[in-house]
Amino acid sequence: MILKSLSSIAAVTLVLCGGTAQAVELVNNGNFSAGLTGWFQDAGGAPGSMISVVDGAAKLVAGTGPSDVIIKASNLGIGTVTPNATVTVSFDAKGSWSAGGVNFAELFSEVAPNGTSKSQLLGGAPLFAQGKGNLADWTSFSYTTTLGPVVTGGISLLLKSSCGADAGCTAVSYFDNVSITAVPEPETYALMLAGLAGLAVMARRRRAG
C-alpha cells in the first residue's frame, strides 16, 4: 500500500513537472500589504533615519551623518532551496540620493546556525548607479544568479539605504513588489526525479510478484 502510494506520487510528480524544475516563490509580504511584517528592520539610529510604509511601498530614509538603514527578509526557503540553485530576485525601486547617498540590494546564502557560504551585491553596484541616475519614477530590477554551496539556513535579501559623512547627504529609497523565485540546480532535481521513478518501478515489481 505504501509503495503503491509512492508510485502514484512519483507518476503525478513526473507528469506535473514534465521533467522540468518548477520555480518557487520564497518572499512573504513582498508587496508590503501587511506593513513590514516578516521584515527585519534597522534604522541605524542617526538623526532623521526612519523606516515606514508609504502608499504600499517600503520607504527607507538615511538620516544626517553616516548611517545604514536596512530591511531584511531573512532565512527564506529553509528545506526548499538547494545548494547552487538558480534564483531570480526582482523588485521595483525609486528614490533620490545625493552627496554620498546610495542604496543596495544584497543576497546571502545562509549557513545554519550562523555564517554565509556566499554573499552577492546584486548588480555589483548601488542601484541608482546602474545606468539609472536618481529614480523619480518606479523602475524594475531583476537579477538571476546562483546560490552558494551551503544553504542550510536558507537565503536572505537585504535592502539598504545609506548615507555617508558628506555634508548634505540624502538617501531616500522606496522598494515594492519584492520577489525571489528559486529553481533547484539540475543535478539535484534530476536525482529527485530518479528517486521517484525508482520508487515507481519498485512498486510495479511488488505488484507483479
Short mmCIF file of all heavy atoms in Angstrom, two decimals, residues 1-27:
data_model
loop_
_atom_site.label_atom_id
_atom_site.label_comp_id
_atom_site.label_asym_id
_atom_site.label_seq_id
_atom_site.Cartn_x
_atom_site.Cartn_y
_atom_site.Cartn_z
N MET A 1 0.83 -1.21 0.00
CA MET A 1 0.00 0.00 0.00
C MET A 1 0.86 1.25 0.00
O MET A 1 0.59 2.20 -0.71
CB MET A 1 -0.92 -0.01 1.23
CG MET A 1 -1.86 1.20 1.27
SD MET A 1 -3.03 1.22 -0.10
CE MET A 1 -4.09 -0.15 0.37
N ILE A 2 1.95 1.22 0.80
CA ILE A 2 2.84 2.38 0.84
C ILE A 2 3.51 2.59 -0.50
O ILE A 2 3.57 3.70 -1.03
CB ILE A 2 3.88 2.22 1.95
CG1 ILE A 2 3.20 2.25 3.32
CG2 ILE A 2 4.94 3.33 1.85
CD1 ILE A 2 4.14 1.98 4.47
N LEU A 3 4.01 1.48 -1.10
CA LEU A 3 4.69 1.59 -2.38
C LEU A 3 3.72 2.02 -3.46
O LEU A 3 4.09 2.77 -4.37
CB LEU A 3 5.33 0.24 -2.75
CG LEU A 3 6.60 -0.11 -1.97
CD1 LEU A 3 7.06 -1.51 -2.33
CD2 LEU A 3 7.70 0.89 -2.25
N LYS A 4 2.49 1.55 -3.39
CA LYS A 4 1.50 1.98 -4.38
C LYS A 4 1.28 3.47 -4.28
O LYS A 4 1.18 4.18 -5.29
CB LYS A 4 0.19 1.23 -4.15
CG LYS A 4 -0.87 1.55 -5.21
CD LYS A 4 -2.10 0.71 -5.00
CE LYS A 4 -3.15 1.02 -6.06
NZ LYS A 4 -4.38 0.19 -5.86
N SER A 5 1.21 3.98 -3.07
CA SER A 5 1.04 5.43 -2.88
C SER A 5 2.22 6.19 -3.41
O SER A 5 2.08 7.22 -4.07
CB SER A 5 0.83 5.75 -1.40
OG SER A 5 -0.32 5.11 -0.91
N LEU A 6 3.44 5.69 -3.13
CA LEU A 6 4.64 6.36 -3.61
C LEU A 6 4.70 6.33 -5.12
O LEU A 6 5.13 7.30 -5.77
CB LEU A 6 5.88 5.68 -3.02
CG LEU A 6 6.13 5.92 -1.54
CD1 LEU A 6 7.28 5.06 -1.05
CD2 LEU A 6 6.41 7.40 -1.27
N SER A 7 4.25 5.21 -5.72
CA SER A 7 4.23 5.12 -7.18
C SER A 7 3.32 6.19 -7.76
O SER A 7 3.64 6.84 -8.75
CB SER A 7 3.75 3.73 -7.60
OG SER A 7 3.63 3.65 -9.01
N SER A 8 2.17 6.38 -7.14
CA SER A 8 1.24 7.41 -7.62
C SER A 8 1.84 8.78 -7.49
O SER A 8 1.71 9.62 -8.38
CB SER A 8 -0.07 7.32 -6.82
OG SER A 8 -0.68 6.06 -6.99
N ILE A 9 2.50 9.03 -6.35
CA ILE A 9 3.14 10.34 -6.15
C ILE A 9 4.20 10.58 -7.20
O ILE A 9 4.31 11.67 -7.78
CB ILE A 9 3.76 10.43 -4.74
CG1 ILE A 9 2.65 10.43 -3.69
CG2 ILE A 9 4.63 11.68 -4.61
CD1 ILE A 9 3.17 10.27 -2.28
N ALA A 10 5.01 9.55 -7.48
CA ALA A 10 6.07 9.69 -8.48
C ALA A 10 5.48 10.01 -9.84
O ALA A 10 5.97 10.88 -10.55
CB ALA A 10 6.89 8.41 -8.54
N ALA A 11 4.43 9.28 -10.20
CA ALA A 11 3.82 9.50 -11.50
C ALA A 11 3.26 10.90 -11.62
O ALA A 11 3.45 11.59 -12.63
CB ALA A 11 2.72 8.46 -11.74
N VAL A 12 2.55 11.33 -10.60
CA VAL A 12 1.97 12.68 -10.62
C VAL A 12 3.06 13.73 -10.69
O VAL A 12 2.97 14.71 -11.44
CB VAL A 12 1.08 12.90 -9.38
CG1 VAL A 12 0.69 14.37 -9.27
CG2 VAL A 12 -0.15 12.02 -9.46
N THR A 13 4.15 13.53 -9.90
CA THR A 13 5.25 14.50 -9.91
C THR A 13 5.88 14.60 -11.28
O THR A 13 6.13 15.70 -11.79
CB THR A 13 6.32 14.08 -8.88
OG1 THR A 13 5.73 14.02 -7.60
CG2 THR A 13 7.47 15.09 -8.87
N LEU A 14 6.13 13.45 -11.90
CA LEU A 14 6.77 13.46 -13.21
C LEU A 14 5.87 14.10 -14.26
O LEU A 14 6.33 14.84 -15.13
CB LEU A 14 7.12 12.02 -13.62
CG LEU A 14 8.28 11.41 -12.85
CD1 LEU A 14 8.35 9.91 -13.13
CD2 LEU A 14 9.60 12.06 -13.22
N VAL A 15 4.56 13.84 -14.18
CA VAL A 15 3.65 14.42 -15.16
C VAL A 15 3.53 15.92 -14.98
O VAL A 15 3.64 16.70 -15.92
CB VAL A 15 2.25 13.76 -15.05
CG1 VAL A 15 1.24 14.53 -15.88
CG2 VAL A 15 2.33 12.31 -15.54
N LEU A 16 3.33 16.34 -13.73
CA LEU A 16 3.14 17.76 -13.47
C LEU A 16 4.39 18.56 -13.76
O LEU A 16 4.33 19.66 -14.32
CB LEU A 16 2.71 17.99 -12.01
CG LEU A 16 1.31 17.49 -11.64
CD1 LEU A 16 1.03 17.80 -10.17
CD2 LEU A 16 0.24 18.12 -12.51
N CYS A 17 5.55 18.03 -13.39
CA CYS A 17 6.79 18.76 -13.60
C CYS A 17 7.31 18.61 -15.02
O CYS A 17 8.08 19.45 -15.49
CB CYS A 17 7.86 18.27 -12.61
SG CYS A 17 7.48 18.65 -10.90
N GLY A 18 6.90 17.51 -15.68
CA GLY A 18 7.34 17.31 -17.05
C GLY A 18 8.85 17.25 -17.16
O GLY A 18 9.44 17.57 -18.20
N GLY A 19 9.51 16.82 -16.05
CA GLY A 19 10.97 16.73 -16.08
C GLY A 19 11.64 18.08 -15.94
O GLY A 19 12.85 18.18 -16.04
N THR A 20 10.90 19.14 -15.71
CA THR A 20 11.47 20.48 -15.59
C THR A 20 11.24 21.01 -14.19
O THR A 20 10.12 20.97 -13.69
CB THR A 20 10.83 21.44 -16.61
OG1 THR A 20 11.03 20.92 -17.92
CG2 THR A 20 11.46 22.82 -16.51
N ALA A 21 12.30 21.49 -13.55
CA ALA A 21 12.16 22.04 -12.20
C ALA A 21 11.25 23.26 -12.20
O ALA A 21 11.31 24.09 -13.11
CB ALA A 21 13.54 22.40 -11.66
N GLN A 22 10.43 23.36 -11.18
CA GLN A 22 9.47 24.45 -11.08
C GLN A 22 9.95 25.51 -10.10
O GLN A 22 10.42 25.19 -9.02
CB GLN A 22 8.10 23.90 -10.63
CG GLN A 22 7.56 22.81 -11.54
CD GLN A 22 7.29 23.30 -12.94
OE1 GLN A 22 6.48 24.20 -13.15
NE2 GLN A 22 7.96 22.70 -13.92
N ALA A 23 9.82 26.78 -10.48
CA ALA A 23 10.23 27.88 -9.61
C ALA A 23 9.27 28.01 -8.43
O ALA A 23 8.07 27.80 -8.56
CB ALA A 23 10.27 29.18 -10.39
N VAL A 24 9.82 28.35 -7.27
CA VAL A 24 9.05 28.51 -6.05
C VAL A 24 9.25 29.92 -5.52
O VAL A 24 10.38 30.40 -5.40
CB VAL A 24 9.49 27.49 -4.98
CG1 VAL A 24 8.73 27.70 -3.68
CG2 VAL A 24 9.32 26.07 -5.50
N GLU A 25 8.15 30.62 -5.21
CA GLU A 25 8.24 31.96 -4.61
C GLU A 25 8.59 31.84 -3.14
O GLU A 25 7.97 31.08 -2.40
CB GLU A 25 6.92 32.71 -4.78
CG GLU A 25 6.88 34.07 -4.08
CD GLU A 25 7.94 35.03 -4.60
OE1 GLU A 25 7.99 35.25 -5.83
OE2 GLU A 25 8.73 35.54 -3.78
N LEU A 26 9.59 32.61 -2.70
CA LEU A 26 10.08 32.49 -1.33
C LEU A 26 9.71 33.67 -0.43
O LEU A 26 9.75 33.54 0.79
CB LEU A 26 11.62 32.35 -1.35
CG LEU A 26 12.17 31.15 -2.12
CD1 LEU A 26 13.69 31.18 -2.11
CD2 LEU A 26 11.65 29.84 -1.54
N VAL A 27 9.38 34.81 -0.99
CA VAL A 27 9.14 36.01 -0.18
C VAL A 27 7.68 36.10 0.22
O VAL A 27 6.78 36.00 -0.63
CB VAL A 27 9.55 37.28 -0.95
CG1 VAL A 27 9.24 38.53 -0.11
CG2 VAL A 27 11.02 37.24 -1.31
#
